[in-house]
Amino acid sequence: MKKLNKKYLWLSGLASVLLLGACSSESTDEVEEPVEAEGSETDEQVLNVQLDVEVASMDPQIATDGTSFEVIANIIEGLYQTDSDGKAIPALVESAEKGEDGLSYTFKLREDATWSNGDPVTANDFVYAWRRLADPDTGSEYSYIMGIAGLVNANEVLDGEKAPEELGVQATDDYTLEVQLANPVPYFESLMSFIPFFPMNEDFMDEVGDSYGTSPDTLLSNGAFTVSSYEPAATSIELDKNEDYFDADSVVLDGVDYQVIKDSQQAMLSYQNGEVDVVTLAGEQVDLFKDDPEFVNVQAGYLWYISPNTLVEGLENENLRKALATSFDKQQITDTILKDGSVPADYIIPDGLAVGPDGKDFRETSDTYLEFDPEAAKESLEAAKAELGKDTFTFGLVVEDTESAINVSQVLKSQIESNLDGVTIEIEQMPKKTRLELMKQGDYDLGLTRWGPDYADPMTYADLWVTDGNNNDGSWSNAEYDELIASSINGELSLDNEARWEALKETESILMNEAGVLPVYQKGNAVMMQDNVSGFDFHAVGLPRVYKFAVKE
């Protein structure tokens, strides 16, 4: 049998426990080895992928999480896509002309791209989608990224001062898209492979209205796959190859089937039984399978951190936030709980994200902050108690109901309470979508959350914490920080790459020194992938996983 013996030992051991638990009055001398799932042998190349959280939204301009982005990217494409090296390459773009001053782009679109209802994909589909993204009435949490992209009038549209029609994008004919920028944006083409900039069919949106993305009939595809089975919060999603996709000849898979399995033991059982081809490992599983030839370990760009709600009594205090930030051992979390290649984060801009004008990674020439230091944590807490006139504090910690998030939160609670006398942490676990909604509403104390990089530049993190920013859930605010970010996006600093790079280092220093957020770890991905699967791309920036060129033999 092709699986390693230690896998069967693990599975058989688990089966024994389950059997004894169900029939405690009986005994057994042997346990049968697992068999291949019925129907697993098929001529169809359908990739079965485990997810540990549900898809939150199938709407490109509304979705905010990596899981939703991953599924959306399988059915819709934008101007650019990401290659195996993480670089932006043309997708719907046939040719691109950049103005000499870097303030304009003219994109000629492919004329052989169609939506799954037969409509051609046109330049107006981008104009409509981008105006929709920027329109305050849409309520997109990613609307701010239009300002990051530097389009003319973007900020005025976002603020409701100008109409979406005044945004710096227009269709001069069916297949020509012209973009005007207020300032040069060195990562603009990279941004164009990011989901919020994907096109939408205006006529179809008018037809389905608010029901968009609630069923296969209310979804359109112009990408490698179409949706054959889906409903909101579904635990399974089925995609079929899109035979009308302009690059269908490059797609070998007949489909992708997603299964939401939150429990890591159940997920591994499904993998062993051949029911899933790709599964994420957690905790002790990593030690057990790390030497298996089917084990894959990838350093990701996701940064997990605690977001303190500074509007909650006590958490407005900088010393209390610093006490919390330095009271837990990140190394223990990564080495004994996660074991998946994750590393402690004494920073908020991830390692390996972007290279500066000096040719060096951002982290290579930047400082570290908020290291685990229980004595310093105690000193900060005493200062906070004196400043606040209180000796005890109780805070809720909202976490999603995935195994890794729950395990990490339990360590955080244990160590914070052990190292900070008078501080109590109450874990509140819930589905990811609920956690995101509560944090967005500001209805929380502390939130264990994450951010994945949308493009290869420190700004993809730095702009999160500007005052009143869409993703500044904790409402932290610093005027100097705001000024540096604004200037780096469309001010004087945006015209000087070296000065801008140094300014972004300064913004990280300001945020960390005030403990505006409390970094925990940079994510690693420990994955098992069946040995008959190849061509599966893992990315640290933008989309975590891409299946377009995957093959299942």
Side-chain angles (χ1 to χ4, degrees):
M1 303 177 77
K2 77 181 182 70
K3 303 294 182 190
L4 296 185
N5 288 338
K6 65 179 178 180
K7 290 185 183 178
Y8 286 119
L9 288 172
W10 177 84
L11 184 56
S12 297
L14 179 59
S16 298
V17 171
L18 294 174
L19 181 61
L20 289 172
C23 309
S24 58
S25 61
E26 299 179 10
S27 63
T28 180
D29 294 324
E30 60 182 20
V31 178
E32 293 183 0
E33 290 186 333
V35 297
E36 292 292 325
E38 183 178 352
S40 63
E41 295 296 328
T42 175
D43 292 334
E44 276 198 319
Q45 286 200 27
V46 176
L47 187 68
N48 300 292
V49 181
Q50 176 245 354
L51 300 174
D52 61 4
V53 295
E54 300 87 352
V55 166
S57 173
M58 291 288 280
D59 187 326
Q61 279 80 58
I62 297 298
T64 61
D65 64 293
T67 300
S68 299
F69 287 161
E70 179 178 313
V71 178
I72 291 171
N74 276 313
I75 66 170
I76 303 180
E77 283 194 355
L79 295 174
Y80 288 80
Q81 59 187 235
T82 306
D83 68 8
S84 58
D85 295 323
K87 297 179 181 178
I89 59 173
L92 295 177
V93 167
E94 188 171 73
S95 66
E97 181 180 341
K98 181 179 179 180
E100 290 185 7
D101 57 4
L103 296 179
S104 65
Y105 284 86
T106 299
F107 297 108
K108 291 290 185 180
L109 305 187
R110 308 179 61 98
E111 296 188 17
D112 56 351
T114 62
W115 292 103
S116 50
N117 65 353
D119 290 351
V121 179
T122 68
N124 186 68
D125 295 330
F126 287 93
V127 174
Y128 168 74
W130 291 11
R131 288 174 177 173
R132 178 173 182 258
L133 175 65
D135 189 342
D137 290 342
T138 303
S140 172
E141 294 177 23
Y142 257 109
S143 61
Y144 73 93
I145 206 165
M146 194 59 74
I148 298 297
L151 268 70
V152 165
N153 293 331
N155 293 322
E156 290 80 0
V157 174
L158 295 174
D159 291 338
E161 298 172 1
K162 291 188 175 182
E165 290 72 22
E166 296 185 70
L167 190 66
V169 60
Q170 62 177 332
T172 56
D173 60 46
D174 284 348
Y175 298 103
T176 304
L177 184 71
E178 290 192 353
V179 180
Q180 299 295 324
L181 303 183
N183 52 274
V185 179
Y187 44 84
F188 183 79
E189 291 177 35
S190 175
L191 268 176
M192 295 301 100
S193 65
F194 187 45
I195 278 73
F197 292 98
F198 280 10
M200 297 289 277
N201 183 302
E202 184 174 6
D203 289 340
F204 184 79
M205 290 296 292
D206 288 342
E207 177 184 339
V208 300
D210 292 339
S211 67
Y212 179 85
T214 57
S215 68
D217 291 338
T218 58
L219 284 164
L220 277 190
S221 168
N222 70 3
F225 302 94
T226 60
V227 179
S228 57
S229 176
Y230 173 76
E231 61 183 25
T235 56
S236 65
I237 306 168
E238 296 178 7
L239 310 182
D240 294 335
K241 180 178 177 178
N242 182 4
E243 298 295 347
D244 296 323
Y245 174 49
F246 70 83
D247 198 22
D249 290 345
S250 298
V251 181
V252 176
L253 291 176
D254 293 303
V256 178
D257 287 357
Y258 290 101
Q259 299 179 39
V260 178
I261 310 174
K262 298 182 180 182
D263 181 81
S264 62
Q265 288 188 338
Q266 182 58 51
M268 197 61 201
L269 281 170
S270 296
Y271 180 85
Q272 296 283 6
N273 289 334
E275 296 165 3
V276 294
D277 301 307
V278 182
V279 65
T280 301
L281 303 183
E284 299 300 324
Q285 290 178 330
V286 181
D287 280 342
L288 187 59
F289 296 103
K290 64 184 179 182
D291 296 324
D292 193 306
E294 294 179 359
F295 177 84
V296 180
N297 203 178
V298 181
Q299 183 66 58
Y302 280 96
L303 202 297
W304 279 86
Y305 58 94
I306 297 172
S307 172
N309 187 347
T310 62
L311 301 182
V312 169
E313 184 179 358
L315 293 176
E316 82 283 5
N317 183 272
E318 182 179 316
N319 276 313
L320 183 52
R321 298 196 303 268
K322 286 182 177 178
L324 292 168
T326 55
S327 65
F328 52 86
D329 188 345
K330 304 168 190 175
Q331 195 77 52
Q332 180 182 345
I333 290 172
T334 59
D335 292 356
T336 67
I337 302 300
L338 298 170
K339 301 182 180 182
D340 57 3
S342 296
V343 296
D346 297 324
Y347 47 80
I348 204 64
I349 306 296
D351 184 32
L353 171 66
V355 173
D358 57 1
K360 297 180 180 179
D361 185 86
F362 185 89
R363 289 261 57 87
E364 190 176 346
T365 57
S366 300
D367 292 333
T368 54
Y369 310 89
L370 301 175
E371 294 91 344
F372 173 54
D373 187 340
E375 293 306 314
K378 290 179 173 65
E379 292 177 7
S380 295
L381 178 61
E382 291 307 311
K385 287 179 177 179
E387 291 164 355
L388 295 168
K390 291 184 62 175
D391 290 328
T392 61
F393 304 90
T394 298
F395 299 116
L397 174 63
V398 295
V399 302
E400 59 201 49
D401 57 356
T402 59
E403 184 173 347
S404 60
I406 293 170
N407 290 342
V408 169
S409 69
Q410 290 170 346
V411 174
L412 290 170
K413 170 182 170 65
S414 174
Q415 294 203 351
I416 290 173
E417 291 180 347
S418 295
N419 290 316
L420 299 180
D421 184 36
V423 176
T424 300
I425 301 297
E426 297 177 345
I427 297 174
E428 304 169 6
Q429 67 183 63
M430 60 196 68
K432 180 178 180 179
K433 185 175 183 179
T434 304
R435 173 184 68 76
L436 291 171
E437 289 172 351
L438 286 178
M439 293 184 67
K440 195 58 57 184
Q441 295 163 5
D443 187 15
Y444 78 104
D445 299 338
L446 300 168
L448 180 60
T449 188
R450 70 175 186 175
W451 187 261
D454 303 329
Y455 50 95
D457 188 87
M459 189 60 75
T460 191
Y461 283 86
D463 76 306
L464 298 178
W465 296 287
V466 295
T467 301
D468 297 328
N470 285 354
N471 291 288
N472 187 358
D473 298 333
S475 299
W476 175 81
S477 179
N478 180 287
E480 182 183 1
Y481 187 96
D482 293 346
E483 291 173 6
L484 289 171
I485 295 298
S487 182
S488 297
I489 293 174
N490 55 22
E492 184 177 345
L493 287 170
S494 70
L495 305 176
D496 186 335
N497 282 339
E498 292 183 1
R500 175 182 178 275
W501 200 254
E502 293 304 313
L504 291 174
K505 293 180 186 178
E506 179 63 20
T507 61
E508 182 184 46
S509 175
I510 294 170
L511 177 66
M512 293 288 91
N513 286 330
E514 291 191 8
V517 294
L518 323 179
V520 183
Y521 64 93
Q522 183 173 342
K523 185 74 171 70
N525 288 324
V527 173
M528 293 293 289
M529 185 162 57
Q530 303 283 7
D531 59 11
N532 63 337
V533 175
S534 60
F536 193 103
D537 286 343
F538 295 93
H539 297 149
V541 177
L543 297 174
R545 306 187 295 194
V546 177
Y547 310 134
K548 177 179 175 179
F549 301 110
V551 176
K552 182 179 176 182
E553 298 176 351

